[in-house]
């Protein structure tokens, strides 16, 4: 009896975030009943199309991985990266929605209308429906496509939901954040609702108080166990961790009780659980016969938020800014298909590049009329070749708070420097307007019980400054502004900004819609815009107008 109980507890631990040795062939994560322990099923020769597993972490700081010198232990990430290719010149966007939209479309924000902020829960907004998505293109060439985790690309209409944008299945949240256990989210006082979905419906049956990192991992294991590994699969795993609220199961605090700063301690526990979850995903790939023909991509969606425990040291700035700390991300590729395993890629790579890279690897076709901003960088990553990318438009946000002292004159008549923008061309990076919180936050800033900005390093810019220029290759920490020393370079980059801006589409940032209140939708965050009703109303009004016109004609006759 005791042995049976212990066996049951052991199995339960394997289904959540428990570690297993990499070489172990006993009781892997997500063990399916009746499957011989650790034996890979006989699946025959793998197809040439690789299995694609894209893992997106949320708000992980640049320093917050073991191989970047963090005090937080990440043995799984360290090992996967060491055996793969580390991306050490890899860029994303400074916030959630922008990075996710660029990943799934291969386009800059200025070309989708999502160049300002994020999509709010109450906004009638989503990734524009005329944009072809990565899962849609992969489905065209026979992939089974599944998403687990955080969507955050809008849901006000059913057509905006993940299952309508190319995913065969979806299990996760629609909003940008929420409670890790209850899956409830309040956008403002009195505007609260449940946010856990399975496909197009609220997943009340899965509301068992399970920590989301563990719950999402279990779902991934179930998908891998039920799919045929001889058929290609695209698995997009967008974990909620380590975004606030800072919550983690108690046992993950054991190694971090010495961290006095409570936010940093909670953040460390969350990252420890995430690391173990990724270990279990990798074990499931091996166990069910996917690993040898798989490509695992790991990325953070933006920089860390120091006030919520994240660290980007030695980079400058934080999440939500265009300093390096907001946009330079942890990233790597792990795959048996890589030619240069165990290497470091210092070539320029951006999150938009995954769209053409993965479609090409999947033997898909990119339509000529799709004007992408991403490049195919597989040879850069796998073989160490030069990157086809020489520049990155970090963004142009025309409605962000204007810099008070910005002007066309400060931009040499080429650009209004009041506008928030940032661009990278080769070694040079230019910022204009208000680039955001600009402190360097060293590790000792987390040494106290609460946030302590006394330890932060600051630079007091001269009054009226709205242009910055850095040689990022020589000065990745953005300590030496060269804008006054190299005005010709400033002008060149301002002209490039102006060229990009001519291709921008109007910003999509509508006011909130009171119909979005979950109280009007059974207590659930979900689609509220009824296209059919709107059509019926317009049809009725058109019909009424026709009747009036016919009556008037009869009277005239």
């Amino acid at each position: 009896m005791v042995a049976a109980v212990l066996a049951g507890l052991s199995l339960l631990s394997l289904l959540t975030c428990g570690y297993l040795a990499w070489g172990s062939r006993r009781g892997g994560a997500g063990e399916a009943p009746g499957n011989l322990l650790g034996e890979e099923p006989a699946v025959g020769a793998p197809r040439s199309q690789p299995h694609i597993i894209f893992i997106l972490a949320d708000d992980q700081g640049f320093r917050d991985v073991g191989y970047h010198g963090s005090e937080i232990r990440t043995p799984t990430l360290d090992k996967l990266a060491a055996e793969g290719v580390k991306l050490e010149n890899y860029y994303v966007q400074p916030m959630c929605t922008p990075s996710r939209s660029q990943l799934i479309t291969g386009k800059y924000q200025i070309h989708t209308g999502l160049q300002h902020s994020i999509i709010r829960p109450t906004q009638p907004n989503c990734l524009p429906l005329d944009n072809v998505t990565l899962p849609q293109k992969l489905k065209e060439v026979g992939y089974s496509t599944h998403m687990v985790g955080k969507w955050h690309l809008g849901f006000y209409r059913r057509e905006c939901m993940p299952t309508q944008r190319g995913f065969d299945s979806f299990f996760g949240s629609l909003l940008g954040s929420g409670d890790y256990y209850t899956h409830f989210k309040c956008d403002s006082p009195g505007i609260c609702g449940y946010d856990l979905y399975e496909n197009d419906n609220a997943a009340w049956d899965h509301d068992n108080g399970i920590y989301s990192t563990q719950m999402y991992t279990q779902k991934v294991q179930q998908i891998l166990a039920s799919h045929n590994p001889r058929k290609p699969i695209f698995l997009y795993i967008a974990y909620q961790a380590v975004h606030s609220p800072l919550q983690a199961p108690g046992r993950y605090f054991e190694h971090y009780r010495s961290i006095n700063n409570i936010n940093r301690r909670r953040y460390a526990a969350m990252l420890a659980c995430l690391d173990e979850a990724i270990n279990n995903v990798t074990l499931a790939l091996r166990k069910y016969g996917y690993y040898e023909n798989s490509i695992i991509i790991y990325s953070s969606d933006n920089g860390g938020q120091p006030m919520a425990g994240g660290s980007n040291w030695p980079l400058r700035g934080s999440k939500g800014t265009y300093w390096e700390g907001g946009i330079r991300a942890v990233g790597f590729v792990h795959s048996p298909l890589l030619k240069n395993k165990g290497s470091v890629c210092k070539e320029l790579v951006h999150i938009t590049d995954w769209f053409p890279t993965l479609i090409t690897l999947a033997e898909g076709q990119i339509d000529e009329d799709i004007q992408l901003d991403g490049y195919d960088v597989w040879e850069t990553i796998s073989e160490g070749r030069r990157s086809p990318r020489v520049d990155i438009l970090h963004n142009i946000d025309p409605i962000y708070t204007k810099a008070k002292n910005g002007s066309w004159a400060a931009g040499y008549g080429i650009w209004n420097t009041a506008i928030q923008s940032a661009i990278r061309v080769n070694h040079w990076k230019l910022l204009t307007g208000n680039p955001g919180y600009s402190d360097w936050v060293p590790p000792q800033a987390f040494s106290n019980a609460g946030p302590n900005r006394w330890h932060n390093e600051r630079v007091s810019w001269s009054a009226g400054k709205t242009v910055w220029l850095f040689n990022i290759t020589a000065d990745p920490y953005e300590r030496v502004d060269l804008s006054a020393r190299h005005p010709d370079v400033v002008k060149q980059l301002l002209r490039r900004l102006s060229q990009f801006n001519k291709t921008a589409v109007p910003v999509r940032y509508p006011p909130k819609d009171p119909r979005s209140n979950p109280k009007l939708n059974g207590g659930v965050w979900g689609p509220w815009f009824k296209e059919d009703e709107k059509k019926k109303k317009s049809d009725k009004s058109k019909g009424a107008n026709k009747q009036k016109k016919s009556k008037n004609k009869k009277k005239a006759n």
Side-chain angles (χ1 to χ4, degrees):
M1 178 67 179
V2 173
V5 171
L6 291 174
L9 290 172
S10 175
L11 179 59
L12 180 62
S13 67
L14 295 178
L15 289 172
T16 55
C17 280
Y19 264 108
L20 289 174
W22 280 88
S24 173
R25 311 304 302 167
R26 299 173 55 196
E31 192 78 62
N35 194 21
L36 296 176
L37 292 179
E39 292 183 7
E40 294 187 0
V43 295
R47 287 180 53 164
S48 59
Q49 293 171 296
H51 303 299
I52 300 169
I53 295 86
F54 198 104
I55 302 173
L56 190 66
D58 202 341
D59 285 10
Q60 182 179 3
F62 181 80
R63 183 174 174 266
D64 295 329
V65 65
Y67 64 84
H68 280 173
S70 178
E71 78 279 24
I72 302 172
R73 302 173 188 177
T74 56
T76 301
L77 298 181
D78 295 349
K79 187 171 179 63
L80 288 172
E83 294 175 351
V85 176
K86 297 174 184 175
L87 306 178
E88 294 299 336
N89 200 4
Y90 173 55
Y91 288 86
V92 294
Q93 297 308 112
M95 286 183 288
C96 306
T97 297
S99 284
R100 291 158 207 273
S101 69
Q102 298 197 32
L103 164 66
I104 209 168
T105 65
K107 296 181 180 181
Y108 290 142
Q109 294 162 257
I110 65 164
H111 296 145
T112 60
L114 299 176
Q115 54 265 61
H116 180 67
S117 191
I118 59 173
I119 295 177
R120 308 287 175 181
T122 57
Q123 284 181 314
N125 195 13
C126 73
L127 180 71
L129 300 177
D130 58 352
N131 283 272
V132 177
T133 67
L134 177 58
Q136 286 172 340
K137 296 300 295 181
L138 293 176
K139 277 176 69 71
E140 289 178 4
V141 288
Y143 273 74
S144 177
T145 58
H146 303 274
M147 179 181 173
V148 177
K150 170 177 162 178
W151 176 237
H152 206 185
L153 288 174
F155 58 88
Y156 80 106
R157 294 169 55 174
R158 287 211 169 268
E159 294 89 341
C160 300
M161 298 285 282
T163 52
Q164 306 300 314
R165 305 309 302 269
F167 288 104
D168 293 327
S169 74
F170 167 65
F171 181 75
S173 63
L174 299 175
L175 277 62
S177 64
D179 191 280
Y180 280 71
Y181 293 95
T182 66
H183 318 298
F184 267 83
K185 167 70 176 181
C186 288
D187 185 60
S188 60
I191 311 296
C192 305
Y194 184 68
D195 182 28
L196 181 64
Y197 268 75
E198 183 161 33
N199 298 321
D200 295 336
N201 300 301
W204 296 108
D205 293 342
H206 294 274
D207 185 18
N208 300 316
I210 302 174
Y211 186 66
S212 75
T213 302
Q214 299 171 333
M215 179 176 63
Y216 290 157
T217 303
Q218 291 176 16
K219 187 65 176 180
V220 170
Q221 292 166 340
Q222 292 168 11
I223 291 170
L224 292 173
S226 61
H227 183 74
N228 182 353
R230 282 175 289 184
K231 297 180 179 179
I233 188 171
F234 171 53
L235 191 52
Y236 174 36
I237 313 169
Y239 280 106
Q240 180 182 356
V242 284
H243 195 292
S244 59
L246 301 178
Q247 299 170 293
R251 69 184 182 91
Y252 296 98
F253 288 85
E254 292 176 5
H255 296 294
Y256 303 107
R257 301 200 184 281
S258 60
I259 299 177
N260 292 325
N261 183 295
I262 185 61
N263 286 349
R264 183 67 174 169
R265 191 189 318 150
R266 290 171 176 164
Y267 180 96
M270 296 167 74
L271 187 54
C273 184
L274 177 63
D275 186 78
E276 289 188 354
I278 294 165
N279 177 64
N280 283 349
V281 169
T282 309
L283 285 167
L285 290 170
R286 292 177 179 270
K287 175 181 175 55
Y288 296 115
Y290 298 88
Y291 177 78
E292 294 301 326
N293 190 37
S294 69
I295 296 171
I296 303 170
I297 300 164
Y298 182 87
S299 170
S300 179
D301 67 339
N302 47 247
Q305 176 56 268
M307 298 300 287
S311 175
N312 303 307
W313 179 259
L315 302 181
R316 183 179 188 177
S318 66
K319 171 185 176 177
T321 77
Y322 291 97
W323 303 108
E324 292 291 284
I327 56 178
R328 196 163 185 167
V330 174
F332 63 80
V333 178
H334 178 97
S335 172
L337 307 178
L338 289 167
K339 292 185 177 179
N340 287 353
K341 299 180 185 69
S343 62
V344 175
C345 175
K346 295 185 178 180
E347 292 292 308
L348 202 58
V349 179
H350 185 248
I351 195 166
T352 52
D353 297 334
W354 297 121
F355 186 97
T357 300
L358 297 180
I359 291 173
T360 303
L361 282 170
E363 302 174 7
Q365 297 294 322
I366 297 174
D367 302 330
E368 292 182 2
D369 59 339
I370 300 180
Q371 297 185 351
L372 296 180
D373 296 306
Y375 295 84
D376 180 356
V377 292
W378 181 249
E379 290 183 348
T380 301
I381 295 169
S382 179
E383 302 175 25
R385 298 191 183 185
R386 295 299 301 271
S387 174
R389 176 178 287 282
V390 295
D391 60 16
I392 298 173
L393 176 66
H394 294 306
N395 196 25
I396 299 170
D397 187 344
I399 65 174
Y400 190 79
T401 305
K402 302 293 188 295
K404 292 180 180 178
N405 298 293
S407 66
W408 284 95
Y412 301 97
I414 302 168
W415 186 256
N416 182 359
T417 64
I419 296 173
Q420 185 193 61
S421 67
I423 189 171
R424 167 85 177 264
V425 179
N426 293 316
H427 303 299
W428 297 104
K429 177 182 176 182
L430 181 84
L431 303 98
T432 72
N434 179 4
Y437 176 85
S438 62
D439 287 5
W440 293 272
V441 184
Q444 58 264 35
F446 298 101
S447 61
N448 298 316
N452 190 337
R453 295 186 65 180
W454 182 83
H455 290 288
N456 297 2
E457 295 184 59
R458 300 183 189 178
V459 173
S460 298
W461 299 111
S462 57
K465 185 162 186 61
T466 55
V467 177
W468 295 262
L469 178 71
F470 300 97
N471 183 326
I472 291 298
T473 305
D475 178 25
Y477 313 138
E478 297 170 298
R479 292 183 175 273
V480 183
D481 174 30
L482 301 172
S483 59
R485 201 180 307 176
H486 296 285
D488 290 342
V489 176
V490 171
K491 291 176 185 177
Q492 289 176 18
L493 269 62
L494 290 175
R495 290 190 189 99
R496 189 77 180 104
L497 271 176
S498 180
Q499 290 171 355
F500 270 120
N501 199 43
K502 291 175 183 176
T503 68
V505 301
V507 180
R508 298 168 58 101
Y509 198 74
K512 65 181 180 180
D513 187 338
R515 294 175 296 174
S516 63
N517 193 331
K519 290 180 180 178
L520 306 176
N521 192 28
V524 178
W525 288 105
W528 70 85
F529 186 87
K530 303 295 190 292
E531 185 71 27
D532 293 340
E533 288 182 8
K534 191 174 181 181
K535 284 182 180 178
K536 286 178 182 177
K537 288 180 181 178
S538 62
D539 290 343
K540 284 181 180 179
S541 62
K542 287 178 182 177
N545 290 334
K546 285 182 180 179
Q547 288 179 354
K548 286 181 180 178
K549 287 180 181 178
S550 63
K551 286 181 179 178
N552 290 335
K553 283 182 180 179
K554 288 180 181 178
K555 288 179 180 179
N557 290 335

